[in-house]
Amino acid sequence: MKRTVFVLVSAILLAAPAAWATSRTLSAVANVQGQALFQSDVRVFNPSYTATITVTAKYHYCQGGTCNHEKDESITISPRQAAAFNDIAVSLFALPNTQGAIEFETDAADLVVTSRLYSNSLLCQGSVGQFVPGLEDSDAFATSVLTSLQQNADFRTNIVMFNPSSSVSLPVMVQVFSGDSGSQIGSNFTTTLGPEVFFPSSNLFTLVGATSGTSSNAYAKVTTDGTHPVFAAASVLDNHSQDTIFVKGELDTTAPPQGTTVTIIVSQFNFDPGGPVSAPVVLTVGVDYTLVFHSIDVQHGFSGVSDLNLPSTDNISPGQDFVITHFRPQAYQRGLYGFHCIHVCGDFDSHLTMIGTLLIQ
Ligand SMILES: [Cu+2]
């Protein structure tokens, strides 16, 4: 049994020699020496009972308004040791007044990283702060949603992001919605995050241009190019107590494409598109279509494609379009469907040739 596991692990390592065995990312780390001192106290735990492990800590940070900085430190952790790095930006990296993300990478099979980000302000002596977990690579998503967000007299919300790719410059869009109605608050915020670049803590509502907006139940949607993932996280802060909670981005579903109108020009003896002279009507699964049949000469008809539950009509006339709304083809409906004119629109034999096809792909 042990030998099988060993062989499997070896095979995986051989298949991906460049990858680290284990990676954990802290998506929010800070040392801010402003009105209040914010700092991150980090623990890096080695679960092994026998092996001392070496961990490379890569701090991708912002300083003085730019965020394309990186500093690496190597740390060694004994078996069963939880190495403590209080105020890690200063104690490990010697970088006061910075914020960013830290990637912890090791060849060892396992690693546990936890942290507490808190304000050590003189105004409120001591504070709990927020627990910031060391995230796995699979916690970054191409589409993520952040919930439990608030912006009003009592609370405010900040957002941070980190692009973990070492090679891809990533377009990112941030949107805010009301959790109650689903309607968008503010407008789309777009930016590009370079490889391994951190997006510094920013007020979410200000970011999307909703400076006067308030909500006690908002959520944010963070979308990349649809393929490459980004770490997204929010911090909800109590304006009175300065208590904070950490909100990790969760996997969200991709938005369906926007509604599309397809206009089919109907004339003796053709549908354009459709046929027989023109190419088929081509529709894509998942898209919300409005089909408009528009006659440019005499009265025509359309046989409902009953397999698709499309309605039929014998009256498509100049000035009277036939409109089918909200037709959204489903995956199981992929294929080619025939239709034809059902109102005798001229010479009977020619009318009989007025057939078309609809392709769902
Ligand atoms: Cu016809």
Side-chain angles (χ1 to χ4, degrees):
M1 196 62 178
K2 272 184 180 168
R3 183 171 296 163
T4 308
V5 170
F6 175 77
V7 170
L8 279 175
V9 169
S10 298
I12 290 165
L13 289 176
L14 286 172
W20 295 89
T22 303
S23 168
R24 295 290 182 272
T25 299
L26 289 175
S27 59
V29 170
N31 172 278
V32 180
Q33 303 180 344
Q35 239 182 333
L37 170 66
F38 275 94
Q39 67 178 62
S40 292
D41 292 359
V42 178
R43 300 292 180 268
V44 184
F45 177 64
N46 172 10
S48 172
Y49 282 84
T50 54
T52 294
I53 64 172
T54 301
V55 177
T56 301
K58 300 179 174 180
Y59 187 27
H60 305 279
Y61 63 96
C62 302
Q63 186 176 42
T66 56
C67 294
N68 55 343
H69 308 288
E70 175 177 346
K71 187 174 185 182
D72 297 357
E73 294 289 344
S74 181
I75 55 183
T76 302
I77 309 175
S78 305
R80 306 301 294 167
Q81 182 194 4
F85 301 96
N86 290 344
D87 196 5
I88 193 169
V90 171
S91 64
L92 183 61
F93 296 101
L95 288 166
N97 277 310
T98 56
Q99 60 172 304
I102 301 177
E103 293 176 296
F104 296 86
E105 294 173 335
T106 175
D107 283 331
D110 205 2
L111 185 68
V112 176
V113 177
T114 53
S115 72
R116 182 168 75 99
L117 174 56
Y118 63 104
S119 166
N120 199 356
S121 153
L122 290 175
L123 293 171
C124 52
Q125 296 283 351
S127 91
V128 175
Q130 58 192 315
F131 175 77
V132 178
L135 301 174
E136 301 188 23
D137 293 345
S138 57
D139 289 316
F141 304 109
T143 310
S144 37
V145 63
L146 302 156
T147 54
S148 285
L149 311 184
Q150 295 199 53
Q151 181 83 16
N152 48 46
D154 298 327
F155 294 93
R156 66 190 189 278
T157 295
N158 291 337
I159 187 169
V160 294
M161 296 180 286
F162 175 63
N163 173 11
S165 169
S166 58
S167 58
V168 176
S169 228
L170 205 53
V172 177
M173 177 166 70
V174 178
Q175 299 168 295
V176 180
F177 299 90
S178 160
D180 300 317
S181 68
S183 58
Q184 188 169 5
I185 298 172
S187 50
N188 300 347
F189 169 79
T190 56
T191 188
T192 300
L193 285 182
E196 298 182 323
V197 166
F198 179 76
F199 184 85
S201 179
S202 310
N203 182 281
L204 178 65
F205 277 58
T206 303
L207 204 62
V208 299
T211 47
S212 61
T214 65
S215 176
S216 58
N217 176 19
Y219 65 88
K221 184 178 173 69
V222 178
T223 311
T224 68
D225 59 0
T227 305
H228 297 92
V230 69
F231 286 103
S235 196
V236 183
L237 302 92
D238 185 312
N239 290 334
H240 308 294
S241 70
Q242 305 303 325
D243 285 339
T244 54
I245 62 164
F246 178 84
V247 177
K248 169 187 167 299
E250 300 291 344
L251 177 63
D252 197 5
T253 50
T254 306
Q258 293 296 301
T260 300
T261 296
V262 175
T263 299
I264 296 157
I265 303 298
V266 185
S267 63
Q268 289 172 320
F269 298 93
N270 187 44
F271 298 92
D272 181 18
V277 177
S278 307
V281 179
V282 179
L283 305 178
T284 301
V285 164
V287 177
D288 182 21
Y289 285 104
T290 297
L291 304 179
V292 178
F293 293 83
H294 178 73
S295 170
I296 56 169
D297 48 25
V298 298
Q299 183 174 350
H300 297 274
F302 170 73
S303 73
V305 181
S306 56
D307 285 351
L308 298 173
N309 287 321
L310 291 179
S312 58
T313 181
D314 67 352
N315 188 6
I316 306 169
S317 302
Q320 184 166 338
D321 292 344
F322 177 59
V323 180
I324 298 171
T325 58
H326 295 303
F327 175 55
R328 192 191 294 270
Q330 306 298 304
Y332 72 88
Q333 293 174 322
R334 284 197 176 94
L336 193 64
Y337 299 84
F339 59 84
H340 58 275
C341 177
I342 56 169
H343 181 87
V344 178
C345 53
D347 167 67
F348 188 73
D349 286 345
S350 299
H351 157 71
L352 288 180
T353 67
M354 193 166 162
I355 58 175
T357 50
L358 187 156
L359 176 67
I360 293 179
Q361 60 180 19

